Amino acid sequence: MARDFIVTPWEVKGEVDYDKLVKQFGTSIISDSLFNKIKKHTGKLHYMLRRKIFFSHRDLDILLNEYEQGKKFALYTGRGPSGHTHMGHIIPWIFTKWLQDAFDAPLYFQITDDEKFLCKPKLTKEETKKFSYENALDLIALGFNPKKTFIIIDTEYSKTLYNIAIQVAKKVTASNAKSVFGFTNETNIGMYFWPAMQAAPCFLPSILSGEKIRTLIPAAIDQDPYWRIARDVAPKLGYLKTAAIHCTFLPALTGPKGKMSTSEGMQSTIFTTDDEKTVKNKIMKYAFSGGKDTLEEHRKHGGNPDIDISYQWLRFLEENDKKLKNIYNDYSSGKLLSGELKQILVNKLNNFLKKHREKKQKAKKQLDKFILKD
Amino acid sequence: MARDFIVTPWEVKGEVDYDKLVKQFGTSIISDSLFNKIKKHTGKLHYMLRRKIFFSHRDLDILLNEYEQGKKFALYTGRGPSGHTHMGHIIPWIFTKWLQDAFDAPLYFQITDDEKFLCKPKLTKEETKKFSYENALDLIALGFNPKKTFIIIDTEYSKTLYNIAIQVAKKVTASNAKSVFGFTNETNIGMYFWPAMQAAPCFLPSILSGEKIRTLIPAAIDQDPYWRIARDVAPKLGYLKTAAIHCTFLPALTGPKGKMSTSEGMQSTIFTTDDEKTVKNKIMKYAFSGGKDTLEEHRKHGGNPDIDISYQWLRFLEENDKKLKNIYNDYSSGKLLSGELKQILVNKLNNFLKKHREKKQKAKKQLDKFILKD
């Protein structure tokens, strides 16, 4: 297969062809009938489903059939706390919150401070712990139900996790881990074990309840390989295979290719900690534009929203379909200039972040209600 | 190097040449001056030191120098709970008890139920947990000080251990683990991580106390490779390298070669759970004899205690040097017959085990005082 793009849990490079990626990963495109099946239960589809931002899945059909037979499921997703939370993290969490409300499902949210400590040579355990708590506040600020949301900070829940993980680990050889995760002989032994720690929350709802509960993982599609091992091992341990629903990547500000990531440089991302001025500066300065070179040309031929990052970001952020469509049309026709389009995004982000900061401040008092302890 | 014997943590085969082994492992023979240094502090030498059953070490000289400067040390040893405790386990524990009393040192005793679960395909977690508690009773029955003895059952102390182990693991590559432990690509990922869990107690006394405390590991010499990684990593994490004192193997009943091990068959071992009749039957039937073929020849030429397993076992069990010497002389001269020598061992073992069973029964009430919990 031609590899004009690369997608692994650690790296997204090139212009991603999502149809090819689905074939490469062996996941399934969400069909119209599956979208309708979701709609049957939720009344309407979330805008990220309507826009096929969430577009791929594993066993979502099976999970919904079970749900129709009255079987509960649990949500599971997470965060690697190597720094501040950015908008690329927030997007799937917004959708996860909707899933929690729509299906009245508990959420297990794993903050993998052990992994980030193990895989980043320069990060200390204290730093990953600090980011764990900060990232947790970003999650709580989105309004998750404290009675149904369980945040796992790996190093603080490691008694429970380790006891599950060794049962997973016994079924996974170094060869398996190498082929799925690309480990080499120079990878440290903590990373070798770590896929078992990551698989543990897939089975935690079943273990804690004593019932067989399937988990559903909402995440960007590059994270899919992480749970292949968990899916392989599940039947061997008597659990149900975890299901997944995958989204495309929020693109980097700086260009239409790849996904937004801190490792691409600070200018490619918007952090939840960025103030209004920083947000404006980053969008105005760095957001890749689909506009024409001169005002005259732009007015005459219009811009290209399909490659314009500000428009692409609004697809992920603007809930109102009509508003979004108007922006698309106005930009295509040349009525809306690039600077004006950027300003729409700046306003959208700064409105969101202003409220988010306030909610994050309040979340500090709620932390204890969310964090699972051994 | 000619390999007419093999010694690894999992296998001892052939007639062990301990001088060669010390060179192969890179440990040091305990010199007379080091024996005298121990004696200076303990008044007299334990019979296992007098007989050079404990014969090799790493950094014991450094540890004693520090001790003379008023620095405390901690003892660390353990047990892999894959079955009942046998005499091959009890011997170094008897010596460890002496070290605890003589140097007023705390003992950290790791019961590695995670490792045995991970490396034995047929053992369940429930079985290794059951043996953990049973083996713990055998340790407690030997009279360890409950105020200074901390038993770690890995799966019950895994929050603390995992948090230390990931710091170790970050410094150890899969290559390191493969070369020290002989892991292959088909070894499970739990075993790959496990050397880090095993290293954790080396640093636990320092972590719990906030002071730099060196640990001393009394163990059979085949266990030495287990702590090479801990020693390599110690300075990188700011800890002192763990020291060790090594003993020879209690031989298998069935022959002068190899060490006693359950995997050699039930007849090669005496378990603490064996009743009087079983002990007598095993020794009489299976204990390899250094006697002559006929009564007449034996009376004339005498037996060979150096290859006689009953005599060899008495070296490990009979504290009284004079008694042991008389047995040696009487057997060599032909005065003592093989059946009589065997009966001496049977009596010695059954006396020991009778008291041990009673103390084990009492130990059940003391368990909670010994087991470390997260």
Side-chain angles (χ1 to χ4, degrees):
Chain A
M1 186 188 300
R3 297 268 293 206
D4 39 355
F5 62 93
I6 295 170
V7 176
T8 72
W10 308 275
E11 185 185 37
V12 177
K13 272 197 177 152
E15 195 157 356
V16 179
D17 180 331
Y18 287 104
D19 288 326
K20 269 194 192 168
L21 191 59
V22 160
K23 276 184 199 144
Q24 194 178 307
F25 276 12
T27 67
S28 306
I29 291 283
I30 303 175
S31 66
D32 287 344
S33 71
L34 194 49
F35 277 121
N36 285 331
K37 213 180 178 83
I38 301 171
K39 203 172 169 181
K40 216 172 84 185
H41 299 289
T42 61
K44 63 183 276 190
L45 289 179
H46 190 265
Y47 71 93
M48 292 191 207
L49 289 170
R50 294 197 305 270
R51 294 172 200 166
K52 301 193 176 176
I53 287 171
F54 277 84
F55 72 107
S56 153
H57 76 102
R58 285 186 190 270
D59 291 349
L60 181 61
D61 45 351
I62 295 176
L63 178 126
L64 287 174
N65 287 342
E66 290 168 348
Y67 183 76
E68 288 176 5
Q69 290 156 24
K71 286 185 194 147
K72 290 176 268 180
F73 66 88
L75 295 160
Y76 163 33
T77 190
R79 159 89 181 115
S82 54
H84 298 303
T85 306
H86 60 59
M87 291 309 297
H89 307 125
I90 291 284
I91 292 296
W93 301 352
I94 289 172
F95 180 69
T96 302
K97 161 79 169 70
W98 179 80
L99 283 176
Q100 173 170 84
D101 294 341
F103 290 95
D104 191 29
L107 166 66
Y108 292 82
F109 189 89
Q110 184 180 35
I111 300 183
T112 60
D113 61 337
D114 52 349
E115 180 215 8
K116 288 302 168 196
F117 166 70
L118 285 164
C119 78
K120 303 269 180 191
K122 286 184 187 165
L123 273 183
T124 65
K125 239 173 133 254
E126 292 65 36
E127 286 166 326
T128 55
K129 181 66 67 74
K130 193 194 70 172
F131 285 128
S132 296
Y133 277 95
E134 197 204 302
N135 296 169
L137 294 177
D138 281 305
L139 184 84
I140 296 168
L142 296 176
F144 284 91
N145 182 343
K147 288 191 181 137
K148 291 185 161 278
T149 304
F150 308 98
I151 298 177
I152 296 162
I153 297 176
D154 278 356
T155 61
E156 299 194 2
Y157 199 53
S158 41
K159 182 174 182 178
T160 305
L161 292 181
Y162 184 76
N163 273 274
I164 304 170
I166 57 173
Q167 297 179 63
V168 174
K170 192 172 179 175
K171 308 283 184 196
V172 181
T173 67
S175 274
N176 298 152
K178 281 178 165 183
S179 73
V180 174
F181 291 93
F183 296 155
T184 69
N185 283 336
E186 297 319 302
T187 305
N188 74 54
I189 58 174
M191 286 305 294
Y192 268 82
F193 182 64
W194 192 76
M197 291 292 279
Q198 167 121 27
C202 293
F203 312 130
L204 189 61
S206 299
I207 290 165
L208 294 180
S209 71
E211 291 172 58
K212 279 196 181 186
I213 294 178
R214 200 182 291 277
T215 43
L216 171 66
I217 298 173
I221 191 160
D222 58 327
Q223 304 299 302
D224 179 71
Y226 273 131
W227 289 283
R228 281 185 207 160
I229 281 178
R231 285 176 52 87
D232 286 348
V233 165
K236 294 177 192 168
L237 296 177
Y239 299 117
L240 298 170
K241 280 189 178 195
T242 198
I245 182 164
H246 307 118
C247 66
T248 60
F249 312 120
L250 180 67
L253 284 180
T254 42
K257 291 181 181 182
K259 76 163 178 173
M260 188 172 78
S261 156
T262 316
S263 49
E264 297 289 311
M266 303 297 276
Q267 70 272 23
S268 72
T269 73
I270 298 288
F271 293 98
T272 61
T273 48
D274 285 344
D275 63 21
E276 294 196 0
K277 214 174 137 186
T278 308
V279 170
K280 180 158 190 170
N281 188 44
K282 280 186 181 180
I283 304 291
M284 291 301 178
K285 204 161 166 187
Y286 300 113
F288 184 87
S289 171
K292 295 294 182 292
D293 287 343
T294 65
L295 178 64
E296 204 175 18
E297 270 190 274
H298 190 87
R299 289 286 189 217
K300 194 171 170 188
H301 302 290
N304 181 358
D306 295 325
I307 62 162
D308 188 286
I309 291 296
S310 298
Y311 176 77
Q312 292 304 317
W313 274 49
L314 286 167
R315 274 190 73 235
F316 283 83
L317 286 165
E318 176 51 64
E319 293 182 45
N320 188 318
D321 289 345
K322 211 176 159 188
K323 262 194 196 172
L324 188 71
K325 190 147 203 281
N326 287 340
I327 293 167
Y328 189 94
N329 292 339
D330 289 352
Y331 194 60
S332 302
S333 72
K335 188 175 159 193
L336 194 67
L337 299 178
S338 290
E340 292 166 335
L341 175 57
K342 285 189 173 192
Q343 189 58 51
I344 294 172
L345 176 61
V346 169
N347 294 346
K348 188 80 197 166
L349 279 169
N350 276 335
N351 275 336
F352 171 81
L353 289 176
K354 184 166 184 272
K355 285 180 207 144
H356 187 76
R357 273 189 294 271
E358 289 164 12
K359 287 189 265 179
K360 209 169 152 181
Q361 195 58 35
K362 285 182 192 153
K364 286 181 187 172
K365 286 181 195 154
Q366 289 191 284
L367 257 179
D368 284 351
K369 289 186 201 163
F370 284 90
I371 306 228
L372 267 185
K373 298 272 179 187
D374 277 317
Chain B
M1 185 185 305
R3 296 271 291 207
D4 39 358
F5 63 91
I6 295 170
V7 175
T8 73
W10 308 275
E11 184 185 34
V12 177
K13 271 196 179 155
E15 195 158 355
V16 179
D17 179 330
Y18 286 105
D19 287 326
K20 269 193 190 168
L21 191 60
V22 160
K23 276 184 199 144
Q24 193 179 307
F25 276 13
T27 67
S28 306
I29 291 283
I30 302 175
S31 65
D32 287 343
S33 72
L34 194 49
F35 277 121
N36 285 332
K37 215 179 176 82
I38 300 171
K39 204 172 167 180
K40 215 172 84 185
H41 299 290
T42 61
K44 63 184 275 191
L45 289 178
H46 189 266
Y47 72 92
M48 293 192 206
L49 290 170
R50 294 198 304 271
R51 294 174 199 165
K52 301 194 176 176
I53 287 171
F54 276 85
F55 72 106
S56 152
H57 77 101
R58 285 185 191 270
D59 291 349
L60 181 61
D61 44 350
I62 296 176
L63 178 125
L64 286 175
N65 286 341
E66 291 168 349
Y67 183 77
E68 288 177 4
Q69 290 157 22
K71 286 186 194 148
K72 289 176 269 179
F73 66 88
L75 295 160
Y76 163 33
T77 189
R79 158 87 181 118
S82 54
H84 298 303
T85 307
H86 61 58
M87 292 307 299
H89 307 124
I90 290 284
I91 293 296
W93 301 353
I94 290 173
F95 180 68
T96 302
K97 160 79 169 70
W98 179 81
L99 283 175
Q100 174 171 84
D101 294 341
F103 290 95
D104 191 29
L107 166 66
Y108 292 82
F109 189 89
Q110 184 180 35
I111 300 184
T112 60
D113 60 336
D114 52 349
E115 180 216 7
K116 288 302 168 194
F117 166 70
L118 286 164
C119 78
K120 302 270 180 190
K122 286 182 186 165
L123 273 184
T124 66
K125 238 172 134 256
E126 291 66 35
E127 286 167 325
T128 54
K129 181 64 69 70
K130 193 194 70 172
F131 284 128
S132 296
Y133 277 96
E134 197 205 301
N135 296 168
L137 293 177
D138 281 305
L139 184 84
I140 296 168
L142 295 176
F144 284 92
N145 182 344
K147 287 190 181 138
K148 290 186 162 276
T149 304
F150 308 98
I151 297 177
I152 296 162
I153 297 176
D154 279 357
T155 61
E156 298 194 1
Y157 200 54
S158 40
K159 182 174 180 176
T160 305
L161 292 181
Y162 184 75
N163 273 275
I164 304 170
I166 58 174
Q167 297 179 64
V168 174
K170 192 172 181 175
K171 308 284 183 194
V172 180
T173 67
S175 273
N176 300 151
K178 281 178 165 183
S179 72
V180 174
F181 291 94
F183 296 154
T184 70
N185 282 337
E186 296 319 301
T187 304
N188 74 55
I189 58 174
M191 287 304 296
Y192 268 82
F193 181 63
W194 191 76
M197 290 292 277
Q198 167 121 26
C202 293
F203 312 130
L204 189 62
S206 300
I207 290 164
L208 294 180
S209 71
E211 291 172 58
K212 279 196 181 186
I213 293 178
R214 199 181 292 276
T215 44
L216 172 65
I217 298 174
I221 192 161
D222 59 326
Q223 303 299 302
D224 179 71
Y226 273 129
W227 288 284
R228 281 186 207 160
I229 281 178
R231 285 176 52 89
D232 286 348
V233 165
K236 294 178 193 167
L237 297 177
Y239 299 116
L240 298 171
K241 281 190 179 194
T242 197
I245 182 164
H246 307 117
C247 64
T248 60
F249 312 120
L250 180 67
L253 284 181
T254 42
K257 292 181 180 181
K259 76 163 178 173
M260 189 172 76
S261 156
T262 316
S263 50
E264 297 288 311
M266 302 297 275
Q267 70 271 26
S268 72
T269 73
I270 298 289
F271 293 98
T272 61
T273 47
D274 285 345
D275 63 20
E276 293 196 0
K277 215 175 134 186
T278 308
V279 170
K280 179 158 189 171
N281 187 45
K282 281 185 181 179
I283 304 292
M284 290 301 176
K285 204 162 165 186
Y286 300 113
F288 184 86
S289 170
K292 294 295 181 291
D293 287 344
T294 65
L295 176 64
E296 202 175 18
E297 270 191 274
H298 190 85
R299 288 287 189 215
K300 194 171 167 187
H301 301 292
N304 182 357
D306 295 325
I307 62 163
D308 188 286
I309 291 297
S310 298
Y311 176 78
Q312 292 304 318
W313 274 49
L314 286 168
R315 274 189 74 233
F316 284 81
L317 286 164
E318 175 53 62
E319 293 183 44
N320 187 316
D321 289 345
K322 210 174 159 190
K323 261 195 198 172
L324 188 71
K325 189 146 204 279
N326 287 341
I327 293 167
Y328 189 94
N329 291 340
D330 290 351
Y331 193 61
S332 302
S333 72
K335 189 175 159 195
L336 195 66
L337 300 178
S338 290
E340 291 166 337
L341 176 56
K342 285 189 173 191
Q343 189 59 50
I344 293 172
L345 177 61
V346 169
N347 293 346
K348 188 81 197 167
L349 280 169
N350 276 335
N351 275 337
F352 171 81
L353 289 176
K354 185 166 182 271
K355 285 180 207 145
H356 188 76
R357 273 190 295 271
E358 290 165 11
K359 286 189 265 179
K360 210 170 151 181
Q361 195 58 35
K362 284 181 193 153
K364 287 181 184 170
K365 287 181 196 154
Q366 288 190 284
L367 257 178
D368 284 352
K369 288 187 202 162
F370 284 90
I371 307 233
L372 267 183
K373 298 272 179 188
D374 277 316

